[in-house]
Amino acid sequence: MATSNSLIAEDNASNLPSIKKVKEGIYDFGGIIIDRKSNSVSIPAISNQVNGLVEYGVVHEDGKIHESLFRTSVRPQIFHTSLLLLKFKPVEGFFQNLWSDDPKSIDYSENCFEILVSWEINGTNYEKEIEKLSINQNRNGPIEKKSFIFTGSKMIEGTFLAESSGSILAIYADESAVMNNSDYDSSNDDVWIANKQEMPPLELPVLIRFHLPQ
């Protein structure tokens, strides 16, 4: 996949910004707000696609924006590191099972995040679960509630894969993405579409809050 040179850097693992304390329990880490009290991280984003096929919920602005509901200027590696700072570990074995000849039905409910997207239009505030913003055409319904898990990305020869691909939250399974969809059909790349009835208007700024599992 071709991406902007601004996203790809040699040994990008060593290029993390400092963490700044905003107030007690709240920190700014490269544009991500880490809230230790609510055990959550928040990122600013832009409504990027309101109809058609999608493969991602969130990508970096230099990633696959033509296939994503939202885009953000936040670096994928900083997002990944923020979850580690909150002492949450990636789920192991997700892709081995998903791509196996006989995948098993595994309950990931204890590892699933609550992800809320909020925005404001003409003084009215809106907040929706990110799962409602994409529809599975095979069953004509949204992603199941709390389906996204922290799978983590890989470091190869000093390059963090999510940093190069720009993949943050994948609807269609992506081993380079930081988070992935554990709902049925996540291995199918042609069933997920943006839910135009629920999505915020195109190009509208939003805030996406990721609440870690309790």
Side-chain angles (χ1 to χ4, degrees):
M1 182 191 71
T3 57
S4 166
N5 288 335
S6 66
L7 188 59
I8 301 175
E10 292 184 14
D11 195 17
N12 56 28
S14 62
N15 235 353
L16 296 178
S18 59
I19 300 175
K20 301 175 183 178
K21 184 175 182 179
V22 177
K23 58 182 180 180
E24 190 62 37
I26 298 178
Y27 304 86
D28 184 331
F29 183 30
I32 293 179
I33 298 300
I34 301 174
D35 188 333
R36 289 191 176 277
K37 294 179 181 179
S38 65
N39 218 24
S40 69
V41 299
S42 301
I43 66 172
I46 300 291
S47 179
N48 183 75
Q49 184 172 334
V50 298
N51 53 36
L53 285 169
V54 293
E55 293 188 5
Y56 297 91
V58 187
V59 299
H60 185 272
E61 59 193 9
D62 289 336
K64 292 185 177 180
I65 60 172
H66 62 291
E67 299 176 351
S68 181
L69 297 175
F70 301 98
R71 68 182 189 273
T72 181
S73 60
V74 167
R75 287 174 49 197
Q77 189 174 10
I78 298 174
F79 177 72
H80 176 105
T81 305
S82 296
L83 300 181
L84 296 179
L85 288 171
L86 287 172
K87 303 188 184 305
F88 199 73
K89 296 180 180 180
V91 172
E92 296 181 356
F94 175 74
F95 292 106
Q96 291 90 327
N97 180 64
L98 186 68
W99 303 129
S100 69
D101 293 333
D102 184 25
K104 297 178 174 59
S105 178
I106 299 177
D107 181 6
Y108 291 104
S109 57
E110 292 186 356
N111 301 99
C112 291
F113 284 55
E114 179 183 41
I115 306 173
L116 302 173
V117 183
S118 59
W119 64 91
E120 183 267 331
I121 301 177
N122 296 327
T124 300
N125 295 316
Y126 299 84
E127 183 176 80
K128 296 185 180 180
E129 297 157 347
I130 200 167
E131 289 88 352
K132 292 182 178 179
L133 306 182
S134 179
I135 291 174
N136 182 314
Q137 295 183 98
N138 282 349
R139 61 174 186 250
N140 195 30
I143 300 171
E144 288 294 322
K145 185 176 180 180
K146 290 187 180 180
S147 286
F148 290 101
I149 59 175
F150 177 34
T151 49
S153 192
K154 299 177 181 178
M155 184 74 67
I156 297 180
E157 297 181 353
T159 296
F160 190 63
L161 294 186
E163 195 82 347
S164 296
S165 68
S167 303
I168 295 176
L169 184 144
I171 294 174
Y172 164 61
D174 179 357
E175 293 191 46
S176 74
V178 178
M179 296 188 71
N180 270 270
N181 177 17
S182 67
D183 193 10
Y184 178 76
D185 262 350
S186 65
S187 58
N188 193 334
D189 65 349
D190 61 3
V191 300
W192 306 102
I193 61 172
N195 187 352
K196 188 174 183 179
Q197 302 302 316
E198 298 288 342
M199 278 290 294
L202 196 64
E203 298 299 321
L204 191 75
V206 303
L207 184 70
I208 306 178
R209 295 199 313 279
F210 299 78
H211 292 271
L212 275 67
Q214 298 300 314

